[in-house]
Amino acid sequence: MPVTPAAQADVLTAQDPELAEILRGELVRQATTLQLTAAENFCSPAVLAALGSPLANKYAEGYPGARHHGGCELADMAERIAVERARELFGAEHANVQPHSGSSAVLAAYAALLRPGDTVLALGLPHGGHLTHGSRANFSGRWFDFVGYGLDPATGLIDHAQVLTLARERRPKAIVCGSIAYPRHIDHAFFRDVADEVGAYLIADAAHPIGLVAGGAAPSPVPYADVVCATTHKVLRGPRGGMILCRAELAERVDRAVFPFTQGGAQMHTVAAKAVAFGEAATPAFAGYAHRVVANARVLAGHLAAEGLAVTTGGTDTHLITADPAPLGVEGRTARGLLAAAGVVLDCCPLPHGERRGLRLGTAAVTTQGMGEAEMVRLAALIAAVLRGRTEPPAARDQVRELTSAFPPPCSG
Ligand SMILES: *Cc1c(COP(=O)(O)O)cnc(C)c1O
């Protein structure tokens, strides 16, 4: 019998109706609204089955063949398979699949390569850097001396000249490339050259595009970066978690930085689910998916621009779009609220010119639901109509429901 979320909720109902109700409600929410949050996706029933498996009960501190706990034979096999599949999928010499999250992967990468106080050059937070790229509210900003490069306010593209100037002036120990909101491919060869010139490590934080890389729909940072950090739950469509890829000579430092330096026991149910997701991501079907994600994003970006939104960089190479809704007479935060009321869920994000908040959206989840270019055209029209106040939220919600019932997410039954 397949373990669907609905079936899991049934199991819970008898014992804990309060939580069961919340899980059912969330199932309905996900199935009846549009998930355009760029970092989200729907993982498969097989990934969910691994997450709900008996490995959730298993303690497995350490690495396969060198655990601090007994009874790890099967957990070891699961982790070895996950590591092998990750290495093969990304052509990496070494993979660590234990980081609990993308942030934990970045923390471990810094721990492997840096000492507290070291200078690190990364995309500034107001330009789309992640919290772990030097936020004062995060360990990164507290323990390291972060220098931020930016985007060209006119084009929205990474200011390569500024990266080079700052690298030469500040001589960072590491350079980070990667963003929560950059819609274009990152020029890894450029960052490698800069890192080599100033003797810095290159860390690629590929949390967003790694799923596109897996499907051959985006260039890989693996041949260029010393360490690649990633999440497994964004376009990659696996369980919530992180991973690190690196060259063989850094393997031991990276492994020790994950355990025992920054983490205790690995979450073996998640590790098993990562193995399942890597297996799925190696299929031609996933490659097709990754390319459809990008094709959908291009169509959505094009039609949002045609509707009058100011699409950053004029389009996208990836699953991710950022846009300023101001030309339609509404600011980013208000726009997000209006769209949420209409059942269209997305985020706000900083804009390259830094003057106001924009919208960030992605096509990973709706593409998993099977939506294609025709639906992207409808979506762009719907978004613009809501923002212009031409379609009231209840009427928009009806249109959203039409789309979601024609394209239900997996596991929503
Ligand atoms: C999503 C993301 C992360 C963090 O992932 P979490 O799993 O939320 O900790 C780190 N860096 C970048 C660039 C991201 O997009």
Side-chain angles (χ1 to χ4, degrees), residues 101-104 106 130 132-133 178-180 205 207-208 231 233-234 241:
S101 68
S103 300
S104 307
V106 178
H130 184 254
T132 53
H133 303 173
S179 164
I180 61 166
D205 184 357
H208 267 281
T231 59
H233 52 272
K234 296 180 181 175

Side-chain angles (χ1 to χ4, degrees), residues 144-225:
F144 301 101
D145 170 29
F146 267 85
V147 181
Y149 56 88
L151 305 174
D152 180 326
T155 61
L157 299 173
I158 291 172
D159 185 343
H160 284 176
Q162 189 193 22
V163 173
L164 191 55
T165 307
L166 287 173
R168 284 173 176 160
E169 276 173 19
R170 303 296 298 270
R171 298 264 145 190
K173 185 85 180 292
I175 300 176
V176 179
C177 60
S179 164
I180 61 166
Y182 196 62
R184 297 296 180 173
H185 293 321
I186 284 173
D187 186 347
H188 301 117
F190 164 78
F191 278 97
R192 177 75 263 167
D193 284 347
V194 178
D196 284 343
E197 185 188 317
V198 301
Y201 288 112
L202 179 61
I203 300 173
D205 184 357
H208 267 281
I210 197 73
L212 298 176
V213 173
S220 174
V222 170
Y224 299 97

Side-chain angles (χ1 to χ4, degrees), residues 260-307:
F261 195 77
T262 59
Q263 289 190 178
Q267 303 197 353
M268 294 315 301
H269 57 312
T270 309
V271 167
K274 286 172 186 175
V276 172
F278 298 147
E280 292 176 352
T283 61
F286 188 88
Y289 163 72
H291 285 87
R292 283 195 303 281
V293 166
V294 175
N296 278 346
R298 288 213 162 108
V299 171
L300 183 55
H303 281 262
L304 288 173
E307 293 282 357

Side-chain angles (χ1 to χ4, degrees), residues 9-262:
D10 286 340
V11 172
L12 203 57
T13 304
Q15 182 187 320
D16 195 333
E18 194 181 8
L19 258 296
E21 201 48 42
I22 291 171
L23 296 196
R24 280 220 181 73
E26 178 62 10
L27 189 58
V28 170
R29 187 194 70 81
Q30 291 185 16
T32 57
T33 56
L34 285 167
Q35 314 312 319
L36 292 178
T37 300
E40 290 184 3
N41 208 335
F42 293 104
C43 61
S44 70
V47 167
L48 282 180
L51 281 175
S53 75
L55 278 175
N57 303 322
K58 189 69 200 96
Y59 233 120
E61 258 185 16
Y63 290 101
R67 303 284 193 188
H68 293 251
H69 300 93
C72 288
E73 296 76 15
L74 293 162
D76 281 6
M77 287 168 74
E79 182 165 348
R80 285 200 174 104
I81 290 172
V83 167
E84 218 26 67
R85 288 183 184 172
R87 289 185 49 224
E88 219 165 281
L89 184 60
F90 298 105
E93 290 176 7
H94 180 70
N96 187 307
V97 297
Q98 291 194 6
H100 299 324
S101 68
S103 300
S104 307
V106 178
L107 171 60
Y110 295 165
L113 303 176
L114 308 172
R115 311 282 297 171
D118 278 348
T119 299
V120 184
L121 183 60
L123 185 63
L125 265 67
H127 293 263
H130 184 254
L131 278 173
T132 53
H133 303 173
S135 164
R136 295 302 303 174
N138 182 263
F139 75 89
S140 55
R142 187 90 62 81
W143 294 343
F144 301 101
D145 170 29
F146 267 85
V147 181
Y149 56 88
L151 305 174
D152 180 326
T155 61
L157 299 173
I158 291 172
D159 185 343
H160 284 176
Q162 189 193 22
V163 173
L164 191 55
T165 307
L166 287 173
R168 284 173 176 160
E169 276 173 19
R170 303 296 298 270
R171 298 264 145 190
K173 185 85 180 292
I175 300 176
V176 179
C177 60
S179 164
I180 61 166
Y182 196 62
R184 297 296 180 173
H185 293 321
I186 284 173
D187 186 347
H188 301 117
F190 164 78
F191 278 97
R192 177 75 263 167
D193 284 347
V194 178
D196 284 343
E197 185 188 317
V198 301
Y201 288 112
L202 179 61
I203 300 173
D205 184 357
H208 267 281
I210 197 73
L212 298 176
V213 173
S220 174
V222 170
Y224 299 97
D226 296 291
V227 174
V228 176
C229 304
T231 59
T232 50
H233 52 272
K234 296 180 181 175
V235 189
L236 189 52
R237 217 157 63 174
R240 195 152 286 284
M243 82 175 148
I244 300 179
L245 306 167
C246 68
R247 286 183 287 107
E249 68 205 71
L250 291 173
E252 209 185 316
R253 276 160 78 182
V254 162
D255 285 353
R256 276 206 305 255
V258 175
F259 172 86
F261 195 77
T262 59

